[in-house]
Amino acid sequence: MTLHRPDKARAVVGITSNRLLVDGVHRDWLRRKYVKALLHHAGVACVILPTIDAEDASVETGPAIMRALDGLMLTGDESNVDPAVLRAPASRPRVDQGDIENGIRDRPRDRLSAVAIKNAIALGMPILGICRGLQELNVYFGGTLRSSLSAWSLGSGQMHAEKTDRPRDRQYDVAHSIRVCPDGALFPIARTVEAQVNSLHNQGIEVLASALRREAWAPDGLVEAVSVVGAPTLQIAVQWHPEWHASTDLLSKRLFTAFGEACLAFAEQRSTRGGQ
């Protein structure tokens, strides 16, 4: 069901962008699928958060921006997480031309996500992580990633990999099942202990951070969803891409609806506190 709320009642969600380098020109970008899913199925307004260069990492603009928001979405992307940068975003003060390699490495995005997660957690703000966003949460809290699922297990690599021989919209079709923990944060949203999801990633969680709880897993045991332990609101992340078929897939709709409701509740709480 699509949510319809007056603009004055809409919560505002910050969406992490990615860095694209083409012909020496830097651009921040993200796919419209995230914006459309948030607008039509979470019922929220959206603000795109810009990536952060190394020389700007020590500039404390994050708290001011995040205090104006009611939720955070950590989007997916083809690039891999750099754990060293995500855990210490200000640790590389010099401009590094190797910061961006399209589809491989995006350290400006890592810096953005580190700042955004830190402030969202401090504020007790709703979080929805998708694909790379799940991996970022795990790394931020001290967990580790498998750098190559194919190297871990050939079968797992094939199960989770992007299906490049298919048209783009068909790459996001169902790829495998997941099992949902029956007493976690995801189950009241999914309302089932088994679901079908898409899969387009080569990295995955190896060691789950102690601050996170496993909410769902794939047939090979790979973690497919997590939540923040002891969170005051919905702080959850999934390895699949619910934004792609949010208008037709029931689990995707429910996930965005639950996130939207959490953001609206947070916005109302902020209002009663005078916006603090």
Side-chain angles (χ1 to χ4, degrees), residues 198-215:
N198 55 41
S199 191
L200 297 90
H201 60 104
N202 182 50
Q203 291 193 318
I205 290 178
E206 179 181 37
V207 176
L208 183 65
S210 60
L212 300 179
R213 171 190 171 120
R214 185 178 73 159
E215 294 286 347

Side-chain angles (χ1 to χ4, degrees), residues 88-207:
S91 63
R92 294 172 180 261
R94 294 178 298 175
V95 176
D96 183 355
Q97 294 302 318
D99 265 7
I100 305 119
E101 184 177 352
N102 294 338
I104 303 296
R105 180 171 53 255
D106 188 348
R107 289 173 180 152
R109 159 66 187 263
D110 293 326
R111 297 186 191 98
L112 165 61
S113 295
V115 171
I117 293 170
K118 175 183 177 181
N119 284 279
I121 294 297
L123 292 165
M125 176 183 294
I127 299 173
L128 175 58
I130 293 176
C131 197
R132 192 189 206 271
L134 172 140
Q135 298 171 15
E136 289 171 338
L137 269 182
N138 189 57
V139 169
Y140 177 85
F141 283 113
T144 62
L145 302 177
R146 298 188 187 278
S147 60
S148 171
L149 295 181
S150 296
W152 172 49
S153 165
L154 180 59
S156 293
Q158 294 173 342
M159 178 190 301
H160 298 285
E162 183 175 354
K163 303 355 180 235
T164 55
D165 59 329
R166 301 179 186 177
R168 172 57 70 175
D169 61 335
R170 296 277 66 86
Q171 292 179 27
Y172 292 86
D173 286 348
V174 166
H176 61 76
S177 63
I178 58 167
R179 293 287 296 177
V180 178
C181 183
D183 60 351
L186 181 58
F187 178 77
I189 299 170
R191 306 175 203 172
T192 180
V193 294
E194 185 169 348
Q196 301 291 322
V197 299
N198 55 41
S199 191
L200 297 90
H201 60 104
N202 182 50
Q203 291 193 318
I205 290 178
E206 179 181 37
V207 176

Side-chain angles (χ1 to χ4, degrees), residues 8-128:
K8 65 179 182 180
R10 283 185 184 267
V12 180
V13 170
I15 315 175
T16 53
S17 62
N18 308 290
R19 182 69 63 87
L20 184 65
L21 181 58
V22 179
D23 294 333
V25 178
H26 291 252
R27 299 175 173 87
D28 283 347
W29 76 286
L30 81 161
R31 291 183 174 87
R32 288 283 304 170
K33 288 285 188 181
Y34 297 106
V35 176
K36 299 287 277 187
L38 285 170
L39 179 64
H40 294 291
H41 301 289
V44 300
C46 303
V47 173
I48 299 173
L49 304 176
T51 58
I52 301 175
D53 287 319
E55 63 267 29
D56 300 326
S58 61
V59 180
E60 288 293 327
T61 59
I65 295 173
M66 296 298 292
R67 280 197 297 269
L69 302 177
D70 306 306
L72 170 66
M73 170 177 276
L74 301 167
T75 60
D77 187 56
E78 291 90 344
S79 62
N80 295 322
V81 174
D82 185 332
V85 175
L86 198 139
R87 288 174 180 159
S91 63
R92 294 172 180 261
R94 294 178 298 175
V95 176
D96 183 355
Q97 294 302 318
D99 265 7
I100 305 119
E101 184 177 352
N102 294 338
I104 303 296
R105 180 171 53 255
D106 188 348
R107 289 173 180 152
R109 159 66 187 263
D110 293 326
R111 297 186 191 98
L112 165 61
S113 295
V115 171
I117 293 170
K118 175 183 177 181
N119 284 279
I121 294 297
L123 292 165
M125 176 183 294
I127 299 173
L128 175 58

